[in-house]
Amino acid sequence: LLRADALLKWLQLQSGPETSFREILRLGPNATRIKKDADQAIEVLHAHGWTEETSKRPRAIRLLGAEAGHA
């Protein structure tokens, strides 16, 4: 949950509507710079309705609910 929270906060600071998985691994929070850890954090966020995967190749993630004030 801590990884997912760190990733959520980081995603909320990003300017574009989508973030590539590669960008999460390279530039995201330290807790998500390992593929397995990033996958787990994204799964938690997806299960709680915060994200959706918009593309499989290249993999891209979109933050949902930011406009609705989920934060």
Side-chain angles (χ1 to χ4, degrees):
L1 289 175
L2 294 175
R3 278 188 204 110
D5 184 56
L7 180 58
L8 175 61
K9 288 175 182 172
W10 184 81
L11 286 169
Q12 290 171 331
L13 295 174
Q14 301 310 299
S15 59
E18 292 183 355
T19 304
S20 73
F21 187 70
R22 176 181 245 169
E23 188 175 10
I24 292 170
L25 293 176
R26 281 190 23 234
L27 304 172
N30 287 336
T32 61
R33 295 218 178 151
I34 296 172
K35 183 184 181 306
K36 176 185 70 114
D37 296 338
D39 282 331
Q40 289 173 345
I42 290 168
E43 284 179 35
V44 169
L45 293 178
H46 179 70
H48 288 88
W50 280 103
T51 60
E52 71 177 352
E53 193 165 327
T54 57
S55 174
K56 296 278 186 194
R57 292 208 183 260
R59 190 169 176 197
I61 308 300
R62 179 182 327 176
L63 183 64
L64 301 174
E67 307 80 25
H70 271 58

